[in-house]
Amino acid sequence: LVEAGLAKTNGEARRLVRGGGARLNNAVITDENRLIVEHDSVDGAIRLSAGKKHHVLVRVGS
């Protein structure tokens, strides 16, 4: 979440996950230690969301 620009700090990202506001491909992220890997991609992209209005599409691969 920090590297995608959805949170300024790791602490902010953890609070977002604890509060249920972080999503990976429209599914709520419940584990604050979860790593996002290439296997999480759908059609070569990963969608990250913070709250209802902040979304980032991360392209995977070359």
Side-chain angles (χ1 to χ4, degrees):
L1 294 170
V2 174
E3 288 184 32
L6 294 173
K8 291 183 180 180
T9 64
N10 289 337
E12 182 180 337
R14 279 192 289 278
R15 284 189 294 278
L16 192 61
V17 170
R18 289 178 192 150
R23 293 181 175 269
L24 170 65
N25 296 328
N26 295 323
V28 176
I29 301 172
T30 57
D31 181 8
E32 62 188 60
N33 294 314
R34 185 187 193 296
L35 294 177
I36 298 173
V37 294
E38 188 173 348
H39 179 72
D40 293 318
S41 68
V42 176
D43 296 328
I46 296 172
R47 179 180 174 168
L48 291 172
S49 301
K52 293 182 180 180
K53 296 183 179 181
H54 298 95
H55 311 284
V56 173
L57 190 64
V58 179
R59 298 274 179 206
V60 178
S62 51

Short mmCIF file of all heavy atoms in Angstrom, two decimals:
data_model
loop_
_atom_site.label_atom_id
_atom_site.label_comp_id
_atom_site.label_asym_id
_atom_site.label_seq_id
_atom_site.Cartn_x
_atom_site.Cartn_y
_atom_site.Cartn_z
N LEU A 1 0.82 -1.20 0.00
CA LEU A 1 0.00 0.00 0.00
C LEU A 1 0.86 1.25 0.00
O LEU A 1 0.51 2.24 -0.64
CB LEU A 1 -0.94 -0.01 1.22
CG LEU A 1 -2.01 -1.11 1.22
CD1 LEU A 1 -2.72 -1.16 2.57
CD2 LEU A 1 -3.01 -0.87 0.13
N VAL A 2 1.98 1.18 0.71
CA VAL A 2 2.88 2.33 0.76
C VAL A 2 3.54 2.53 -0.60
O VAL A 2 3.57 3.63 -1.13
CB VAL A 2 3.94 2.16 1.87
CG1 VAL A 2 4.96 3.28 1.81
CG2 VAL A 2 3.28 2.12 3.23
N GLU A 3 4.06 1.46 -1.19
CA GLU A 3 4.74 1.57 -2.48
C GLU A 3 3.79 1.99 -3.59
O GLU A 3 4.21 2.63 -4.55
CB GLU A 3 5.40 0.23 -2.84
CG GLU A 3 6.61 -0.07 -1.99
CD GLU A 3 7.31 -1.35 -2.41
OE1 GLU A 3 7.29 -1.67 -3.60
OE2 GLU A 3 7.86 -2.01 -1.53
N ALA A 4 2.51 1.68 -3.46
CA ALA A 4 1.52 2.07 -4.46
C ALA A 4 1.03 3.49 -4.25
O ALA A 4 0.30 4.03 -5.06
CB ALA A 4 0.35 1.10 -4.43
N GLY A 5 1.42 4.11 -3.12
CA GLY A 5 1.02 5.48 -2.85
C GLY A 5 -0.32 5.63 -2.16
O GLY A 5 -0.86 6.74 -2.07
N LEU A 6 -0.88 4.55 -1.66
CA LEU A 6 -2.18 4.60 -0.99
C LEU A 6 -2.05 4.91 0.50
O LEU A 6 -3.04 5.26 1.14
CB LEU A 6 -2.94 3.29 -1.19
CG LEU A 6 -3.36 3.01 -2.63
CD1 LEU A 6 -3.95 1.62 -2.74
CD2 LEU A 6 -4.33 4.05 -3.13
N ALA A 7 -0.86 4.76 1.05
CA ALA A 7 -0.59 5.08 2.45
C ALA A 7 0.79 5.73 2.52
O ALA A 7 1.69 5.36 1.77
CB ALA A 7 -0.64 3.82 3.31
N LYS A 8 0.94 6.69 3.40
CA LYS A 8 2.23 7.40 3.51
C LYS A 8 3.26 6.61 4.30
O LYS A 8 4.45 6.72 4.04
CB LYS A 8 2.03 8.76 4.15
CG LYS A 8 1.27 9.72 3.25
CD LYS A 8 1.16 11.08 3.88
CE LYS A 8 0.39 12.01 2.97
NZ LYS A 8 0.25 13.35 3.52
N THR A 9 2.80 5.84 5.31
CA THR A 9 3.73 5.08 6.14
C THR A 9 3.22 3.66 6.32
O THR A 9 2.05 3.36 6.06
CB THR A 9 3.85 5.71 7.55
OG1 THR A 9 2.58 5.64 8.20
CG2 THR A 9 4.31 7.16 7.47
N ASN A 10 4.11 2.79 6.79
CA ASN A 10 3.71 1.41 7.07
C ASN A 10 2.66 1.36 8.18
O ASN A 10 1.74 0.55 8.14
CB ASN A 10 4.92 0.56 7.46
CG ASN A 10 5.83 0.29 6.29
OD1 ASN A 10 5.41 0.34 5.14
ND2 ASN A 10 7.09 0.01 6.58
N GLY A 11 2.79 2.24 9.15
CA GLY A 11 1.82 2.30 10.25
C GLY A 11 0.44 2.69 9.74
O GLY A 11 -0.57 2.12 10.16
N GLU A 12 0.40 3.64 8.83
CA GLU A 12 -0.88 4.04 8.24
C GLU A 12 -1.49 2.88 7.45
O GLU A 12 -2.70 2.64 7.50
CB GLU A 12 -0.66 5.24 7.33
CG GLU A 12 -1.92 5.77 6.70
CD GLU A 12 -1.67 6.96 5.80
OE1 GLU A 12 -0.64 7.66 5.96
OE2 GLU A 12 -2.52 7.20 4.93
N ALA A 13 -0.65 2.13 6.75
CA ALA A 13 -1.13 0.98 5.99
C ALA A 13 -1.69 -0.09 6.93
O ALA A 13 -2.74 -0.68 6.66
CB ALA A 13 0.00 0.40 5.14
N ARG A 14 -0.99 -0.33 8.05
CA ARG A 14 -1.48 -1.32 9.03
C ARG A 14 -2.82 -0.90 9.61
O ARG A 14 -3.73 -1.71 9.76
CB ARG A 14 -0.46 -1.51 10.14
CG ARG A 14 0.67 -2.44 9.77
CD ARG A 14 1.49 -2.83 10.99
NE ARG A 14 2.28 -1.73 11.51
CZ ARG A 14 3.46 -1.38 11.02
NH1 ARG A 14 3.99 -2.03 10.01
NH2 ARG A 14 4.13 -0.38 11.56
N ARG A 15 -2.97 0.38 9.93
CA ARG A 15 -4.26 0.88 10.46
C ARG A 15 -5.37 0.73 9.44
O ARG A 15 -6.50 0.39 9.78
CB ARG A 15 -4.12 2.33 10.90
CG ARG A 15 -3.39 2.50 12.22
CD ARG A 15 -3.48 3.93 12.73
NE ARG A 15 -2.76 4.87 11.87
CZ ARG A 15 -1.46 5.10 11.91
NH1 ARG A 15 -0.70 4.44 12.77
NH2 ARG A 15 -0.89 5.97 11.10
N LEU A 16 -5.05 0.95 8.19
CA LEU A 16 -6.02 0.80 7.12
C LEU A 16 -6.49 -0.65 7.02
O LEU A 16 -7.69 -0.91 6.89
CB LEU A 16 -5.39 1.24 5.79
CG LEU A 16 -6.29 1.44 4.60
CD1 LEU A 16 -7.33 2.51 4.87
CD2 LEU A 16 -5.46 1.80 3.39
N VAL A 17 -5.56 -1.59 7.12
CA VAL A 17 -5.91 -3.02 7.08
C VAL A 17 -6.73 -3.39 8.30
O VAL A 17 -7.77 -4.06 8.18
CB VAL A 17 -4.64 -3.90 6.98
CG1 VAL A 17 -4.98 -5.37 7.18
CG2 VAL A 17 -3.95 -3.69 5.64
N ARG A 18 -6.31 -2.96 9.49
CA ARG A 18 -7.05 -3.28 10.72
C ARG A 18 -8.47 -2.74 10.69
O ARG A 18 -9.39 -3.34 11.23
CB ARG A 18 -6.33 -2.72 11.94
CG ARG A 18 -5.06 -3.44 12.28
CD ARG A 18 -4.38 -2.80 13.47
NE ARG A 18 -3.03 -3.32 13.63
CZ ARG A 18 -2.03 -2.63 14.13
NH1 ARG A 18 -2.21 -1.40 14.57
NH2 ARG A 18 -0.84 -3.17 14.23
N GLY A 19 -8.66 -1.59 10.06
CA GLY A 19 -9.97 -0.97 9.98
C GLY A 19 -10.83 -1.51 8.85
O GLY A 19 -11.98 -1.09 8.69
N GLY A 20 -10.30 -2.43 8.06
CA GLY A 20 -11.07 -3.03 6.97
C GLY A 20 -11.15 -2.17 5.72
O GLY A 20 -11.98 -2.43 4.85
N GLY A 21 -10.29 -1.16 5.61
CA GLY A 21 -10.35 -0.26 4.47
C GLY A 21 -9.43 -0.61 3.32
O GLY A 21 -9.46 0.03 2.28
N ALA A 22 -8.60 -1.64 3.47
CA ALA A 22 -7.67 -2.02 2.41
C ALA A 22 -8.24 -3.22 1.64
O ALA A 22 -8.73 -4.17 2.23
CB ALA A 22 -6.32 -2.39 2.99
N ARG A 23 -8.17 -3.13 0.32
CA ARG A 23 -8.69 -4.22 -0.52
C ARG A 23 -7.67 -4.61 -1.59
O ARG A 23 -6.94 -3.76 -2.10
CB ARG A 23 -9.99 -3.79 -1.20
CG ARG A 23 -11.11 -3.60 -0.23
CD ARG A 23 -12.39 -3.19 -0.95
NE ARG A 23 -13.50 -3.12 -0.03
CZ ARG A 23 -14.31 -4.14 0.24
NH1 ARG A 23 -14.14 -5.29 -0.35
NH2 ARG A 23 -15.28 -4.00 1.10
N LEU A 24 -7.68 -5.88 -1.92
CA LEU A 24 -6.86 -6.44 -2.98
C LEU A 24 -7.80 -7.12 -3.95
O LEU A 24 -8.48 -8.09 -3.58
CB LEU A 24 -5.86 -7.45 -2.41
CG LEU A 24 -5.08 -8.29 -3.39
CD1 LEU A 24 -4.15 -7.41 -4.23
CD2 LEU A 24 -4.28 -9.36 -2.69
N ASN A 25 -7.88 -6.61 -5.17
CA ASN A 25 -8.81 -7.15 -6.17
C ASN A 25 -10.23 -7.24 -5.61
O ASN A 25 -10.91 -8.25 -5.75
CB ASN A 25 -8.34 -8.51 -6.69
CG ASN A 25 -7.02 -8.40 -7.42
OD1 ASN A 25 -6.72 -7.40 -8.04
ND2 ASN A 25 -6.21 -9.43 -7.32
N ASN A 26 -10.66 -6.18 -4.94
CA ASN A 26 -12.01 -6.05 -4.36
C ASN A 26 -12.29 -6.98 -3.18
O ASN A 26 -13.42 -7.06 -2.73
CB ASN A 26 -13.10 -6.22 -5.43
CG ASN A 26 -13.05 -5.12 -6.46
OD1 ASN A 26 -12.77 -3.97 -6.14
ND2 ASN A 26 -13.30 -5.47 -7.70
N ALA A 27 -11.29 -7.66 -2.66
CA ALA A 27 -11.44 -8.48 -1.46
C ALA A 27 -10.73 -7.80 -0.30
O ALA A 27 -9.60 -7.31 -0.46
CB ALA A 27 -10.85 -9.87 -1.69
N VAL A 28 -11.36 -7.75 0.85
CA VAL A 28 -10.78 -7.08 2.01
C VAL A 28 -9.52 -7.80 2.45
O VAL A 28 -9.48 -9.03 2.54
CB VAL A 28 -11.80 -7.04 3.18
CG1 VAL A 28 -11.18 -6.44 4.43
CG2 VAL A 28 -13.03 -6.26 2.78
N ILE A 29 -8.46 -7.05 2.71
CA ILE A 29 -7.21 -7.61 3.24
C ILE A 29 -7.36 -7.66 4.75
O ILE A 29 -7.59 -6.65 5.40
CB ILE A 29 -6.00 -6.73 2.86
CG1 ILE A 29 -5.88 -6.61 1.35
CG2 ILE A 29 -4.73 -7.31 3.47
CD1 ILE A 29 -4.83 -5.61 0.90
N THR A 30 -7.25 -8.87 5.33
CA THR A 30 -7.44 -9.03 6.76
C THR A 30 -6.12 -9.24 7.52
O THR A 30 -6.07 -9.03 8.72
CB THR A 30 -8.37 -10.23 7.06
OG1 THR A 30 -7.82 -11.40 6.46
CG2 THR A 30 -9.76 -9.98 6.52
N ASP A 31 -5.06 -9.64 6.81
CA ASP A 31 -3.77 -9.90 7.44
C ASP A 31 -2.82 -8.76 7.12
O ASP A 31 -2.45 -8.55 5.96
CB ASP A 31 -3.21 -11.23 6.93
CG ASP A 31 -1.87 -11.59 7.55
OD1 ASP A 31 -1.42 -10.89 8.49
OD2 ASP A 31 -1.27 -12.58 7.09
N GLU A 32 -2.42 -8.01 8.13
CA GLU A 32 -1.54 -6.86 7.89
C GLU A 32 -0.13 -7.27 7.48
O GLU A 32 0.63 -6.44 7.00
CB GLU A 32 -1.49 -5.95 9.11
CG GLU A 32 -0.93 -6.59 10.35
CD GLU A 32 -1.08 -5.71 11.57
OE1 GLU A 32 -2.22 -5.38 11.92
OE2 GLU A 32 -0.05 -5.37 12.16
N ASN A 33 0.24 -8.54 7.62
CA ASN A 33 1.56 -9.03 7.22
C ASN A 33 1.53 -9.72 5.85
O ASN A 33 2.54 -10.25 5.41
CB ASN A 33 2.11 -9.99 8.27
CG ASN A 33 2.39 -9.29 9.57
OD1 ASN A 33 2.98 -8.22 9.59
ND2 ASN A 33 1.94 -9.86 10.66
N ARG A 34 0.40 -9.71 5.19
CA ARG A 34 0.25 -10.40 3.90
C ARG A 34 1.11 -9.71 2.84
O ARG A 34 1.12 -8.49 2.72
CB ARG A 34 -1.20 -10.35 3.45
CG ARG A 34 -1.46 -11.14 2.19
CD ARG A 34 -2.89 -10.90 1.71
NE ARG A 34 -3.34 -11.79 0.70
CZ ARG A 34 -2.83 -11.90 -0.53
NH1 ARG A 34 -1.79 -11.18 -0.87
NH2 ARG A 34 -3.34 -12.74 -1.41
N LEU A 35 1.81 -10.52 2.08
CA LEU A 35 2.61 -10.02 0.97
C LEU A 35 1.79 -10.14 -0.31
O LEU A 35 1.09 -11.14 -0.52
CB LEU A 35 3.90 -10.81 0.83
CG LEU A 35 4.90 -10.67 1.97
CD1 LEU A 35 6.10 -11.57 1.71
CD2 LEU A 35 5.34 -9.24 2.13
N ILE A 36 1.89 -9.16 -1.16
CA ILE A 36 1.20 -9.21 -2.44
C ILE A 36 2.22 -9.68 -3.46
O ILE A 36 3.29 -9.08 -3.62
CB ILE A 36 0.63 -7.83 -2.79
CG1 ILE A 36 -0.40 -7.46 -1.73
CG2 ILE A 36 0.02 -7.84 -4.18
CD1 ILE A 36 -0.92 -6.07 -1.83
N VAL A 37 1.90 -10.78 -4.14
CA VAL A 37 2.83 -11.40 -5.07
C VAL A 37 2.21 -11.46 -6.47
O VAL A 37 1.03 -11.17 -6.66
CB VAL A 37 3.21 -12.82 -4.60
CG1 VAL A 37 4.00 -12.77 -3.30
CG2 VAL A 37 1.98 -13.68 -4.42
N GLU A 38 3.01 -11.82 -7.44
CA GLU A 38 2.56 -11.88 -8.83
C GLU A 38 1.37 -12.82 -9.00
O GLU A 38 0.51 -12.59 -9.85
CB GLU A 38 3.72 -12.33 -9.72
CG GLU A 38 3.43 -12.24 -11.19
CD GLU A 38 4.65 -12.53 -12.05
OE1 GLU A 38 5.76 -12.59 -11.54
OE2 GLU A 38 4.44 -12.71 -13.26
N HIS A 39 1.29 -13.85 -8.18
CA HIS A 39 0.19 -14.82 -8.25
C HIS A 39 -1.17 -14.16 -7.96
O HIS A 39 -2.20 -14.67 -8.38
CB HIS A 39 0.46 -15.95 -7.25
CG HIS A 39 -0.60 -16.99 -7.21
ND1 HIS A 39 -0.78 -17.89 -8.24
CD2 HIS A 39 -1.56 -17.25 -6.30
CE1 HIS A 39 -1.81 -18.67 -7.94
NE2 HIS A 39 -2.29 -18.30 -6.76
N ASP A 40 -1.18 -13.02 -7.29
CA ASP A 40 -2.42 -12.31 -6.98
C ASP A 40 -2.99 -11.56 -8.19
O ASP A 40 -4.10 -11.05 -8.13
CB ASP A 40 -2.19 -11.28 -5.86
CG ASP A 40 -1.86 -11.94 -4.54
OD1 ASP A 40 -2.52 -12.94 -4.21
OD2 ASP A 40 -0.96 -11.45 -3.85
N SER A 41 -2.25 -11.51 -9.28
CA SER A 41 -2.69 -10.72 -10.43
C SER A 41 -3.85 -11.39 -11.16
O SER A 41 -3.98 -12.62 -11.19
CB SER A 41 -1.54 -10.49 -11.41
OG SER A 41 -1.16 -11.70 -12.02
N VAL A 42 -4.70 -10.55 -11.74
CA VAL A 42 -5.80 -11.00 -12.58
C VAL A 42 -5.61 -10.31 -13.92
O VAL A 42 -5.60 -9.08 -13.99
CB VAL A 42 -7.16 -10.60 -11.95
CG1 VAL A 42 -8.30 -10.97 -12.88
CG2 VAL A 42 -7.33 -11.23 -10.59
N ASP A 43 -5.42 -11.09 -14.96
CA ASP A 43 -5.16 -10.55 -16.30
C ASP A 43 -3.97 -9.59 -16.33
O ASP A 43 -4.00 -8.55 -16.99
CB ASP A 43 -6.41 -9.85 -16.86
CG ASP A 43 -7.57 -10.81 -17.07
OD1 ASP A 43 -7.31 -11.99 -17.38
OD2 ASP A 43 -8.72 -10.38 -16.92
N GLY A 44 -2.94 -9.91 -15.56
CA GLY A 44 -1.71 -9.11 -15.57
C GLY A 44 -1.74 -7.84 -14.75
O GLY A 44 -0.89 -6.98 -14.89
N ALA A 45 -2.75 -7.69 -13.87
CA ALA A 45 -2.84 -6.48 -13.06
C ALA A 45 -3.37 -6.81 -11.67
O ALA A 45 -4.08 -7.78 -11.48
CB ALA A 45 -3.74 -5.45 -13.73
N ILE A 46 -2.99 -5.98 -10.72
CA ILE A 46 -3.47 -6.11 -9.34
C ILE A 46 -4.14 -4.79 -8.99
O ILE A 46 -3.56 -3.72 -9.17
CB ILE A 46 -2.29 -6.37 -8.37
CG1 ILE A 46 -1.65 -7.71 -8.69
CG2 ILE A 46 -2.77 -6.32 -6.92
CD1 ILE A 46 -0.38 -7.97 -7.93
N ARG A 47 -5.37 -4.86 -8.48
CA ARG A 47 -6.08 -3.65 -8.06
C ARG A 47 -5.99 -3.52 -6.55
O ARG A 47 -6.40 -4.41 -5.81
CB ARG A 47 -7.54 -3.73 -8.48
CG ARG A 47 -8.30 -2.50 -8.06
CD ARG A 47 -9.74 -2.57 -8.47
NE ARG A 47 -10.44 -1.42 -7.89
CZ ARG A 47 -11.63 -1.06 -8.24
NH1 ARG A 47 -12.29 -1.73 -9.15
NH2 ARG A 47 -12.20 -0.03 -7.67
N LEU A 48 -5.44 -2.41 -6.09
CA LEU A 48 -5.35 -2.10 -4.66
C LEU A 48 -6.27 -0.92 -4.38
O LEU A 48 -6.33 0.02 -5.16
CB LEU A 48 -3.93 -1.73 -4.27
CG LEU A 48 -2.89 -2.85 -4.31
CD1 LEU A 48 -1.50 -2.27 -4.10
CD2 LEU A 48 -3.20 -3.88 -3.28
N SER A 49 -6.97 -0.98 -3.25
CA SER A 49 -7.86 0.10 -2.87
C SER A 49 -7.67 0.46 -1.42
O SER A 49 -7.42 -0.40 -0.58
CB SER A 49 -9.32 -0.31 -3.08
OG SER A 49 -9.56 -0.66 -4.42
N ALA A 50 -7.79 1.76 -1.14
CA ALA A 50 -7.76 2.27 0.23
C ALA A 50 -9.03 3.08 0.40
O ALA A 50 -9.15 4.17 -0.17
CB ALA A 50 -6.53 3.13 0.45
N GLY A 51 -9.96 2.55 1.13
CA GLY A 51 -11.24 3.22 1.29
C GLY A 51 -12.09 3.09 0.04
O GLY A 51 -11.86 2.24 -0.80
N LYS A 52 -13.07 3.98 -0.09
CA LYS A 52 -14.00 3.90 -1.21
C LYS A 52 -13.53 4.65 -2.46
O LYS A 52 -13.98 4.36 -3.56
CB LYS A 52 -15.37 4.46 -0.79
CG LYS A 52 -16.07 3.62 0.24
CD LYS A 52 -17.42 4.22 0.55
CE LYS A 52 -18.14 3.37 1.59
NZ LYS A 52 -19.46 3.94 1.91
N LYS A 53 -12.63 5.61 -2.28
CA LYS A 53 -12.33 6.49 -3.40
C LYS A 53 -10.90 6.43 -3.93
O LYS A 53 -10.61 7.05 -4.95
CB LYS A 53 -12.63 7.95 -3.01
CG LYS A 53 -14.09 8.17 -2.72
CD LYS A 53 -14.36 9.62 -2.40
CE LYS A 53 -15.84 9.82 -2.13
NZ LYS A 53 -16.13 11.23 -1.83
N HIS A 54 -10.00 5.70 -3.28
CA HIS A 54 -8.61 5.66 -3.71
C HIS A 54 -8.27 4.28 -4.24
O HIS A 54 -8.27 3.30 -3.47
CB HIS A 54 -7.68 6.04 -2.55
CG HIS A 54 -7.92 7.43 -2.07
ND1 HIS A 54 -8.75 7.71 -1.02
CD2 HIS A 54 -7.47 8.62 -2.53
CE1 HIS A 54 -8.78 9.02 -0.83
NE2 HIS A 54 -8.02 9.60 -1.75
N HIS A 55 -7.96 4.20 -5.53
CA HIS A 55 -7.69 2.93 -6.18
C HIS A 55 -6.42 3.05 -7.03
O HIS A 55 -6.17 4.10 -7.61
CB HIS A 55 -8.85 2.52 -7.08
CG HIS A 55 -10.18 2.60 -6.43
ND1 HIS A 55 -10.61 1.67 -5.52
CD2 HIS A 55 -11.16 3.52 -6.53
CE1 HIS A 55 -11.83 2.02 -5.10
NE2 HIS A 55 -12.17 3.14 -5.69
N VAL A 56 -5.67 1.95 -7.10
CA VAL A 56 -4.47 1.90 -7.93
C VAL A 56 -4.46 0.57 -8.67
O VAL A 56 -4.74 -0.48 -8.09
CB VAL A 56 -3.18 2.01 -7.06
CG1 VAL A 56 -1.95 1.80 -7.88
CG2 VAL A 56 -3.13 3.34 -6.36
N LEU A 57 -4.15 0.62 -9.96
CA LEU A 57 -4.00 -0.59 -10.77
C LEU A 57 -2.52 -0.80 -11.02
O LEU A 57 -1.86 0.06 -11.63
CB LEU A 57 -4.76 -0.43 -12.08
CG LEU A 57 -4.91 -1.69 -12.93
CD1 LEU A 57 -5.74 -2.73 -12.19
CD2 LEU A 57 -5.56 -1.35 -14.25
N VAL A 58 -1.98 -1.91 -10.53
CA VAL A 58 -0.56 -2.21 -10.65
C VAL A 58 -0.39 -3.28 -11.74
O VAL A 58 -0.95 -4.36 -11.62
CB VAL A 58 0.02 -2.73 -9.32
CG1 VAL A 58 1.50 -3.05 -9.46
CG2 VAL A 58 -0.22 -1.72 -8.21
N ARG A 59 0.34 -2.94 -12.78
CA ARG A 59 0.61 -3.90 -13.85
C ARG A 59 1.71 -4.85 -13.41
O ARG A 59 2.71 -4.44 -12.84
CB ARG A 59 1.05 -3.19 -15.13
CG ARG A 59 0.00 -2.29 -15.68
CD ARG A 59 -0.95 -3.03 -16.55
NE ARG A 59 -1.96 -2.09 -17.04
CZ ARG A 59 -3.15 -2.45 -17.38
NH1 ARG A 59 -3.51 -3.70 -17.33
NH2 ARG A 59 -4.00 -1.56 -17.82
N VAL A 60 1.54 -6.15 -13.73
CA VAL A 60 2.49 -7.18 -13.33
C VAL A 60 3.22 -7.69 -14.56
O VAL A 60 2.60 -7.88 -15.61
CB VAL A 60 1.76 -8.35 -12.62
CG1 VAL A 60 2.72 -9.44 -12.25
CG2 VAL A 60 1.03 -7.84 -11.40
N GLY A 61 4.50 -7.94 -14.43
CA GLY A 61 5.28 -8.47 -15.55
C GLY A 61 6.00 -7.39 -16.32
O GLY A 61 6.10 -6.25 -15.90
N SER A 62 6.45 -7.75 -17.50
CA SER A 62 7.24 -6.80 -18.28
C SER A 62 6.46 -6.06 -19.32
O SER A 62 5.37 -6.16 -19.59
CB SER A 62 8.37 -7.51 -18.98
OG SER A 62 7.89 -8.63 -19.68
#
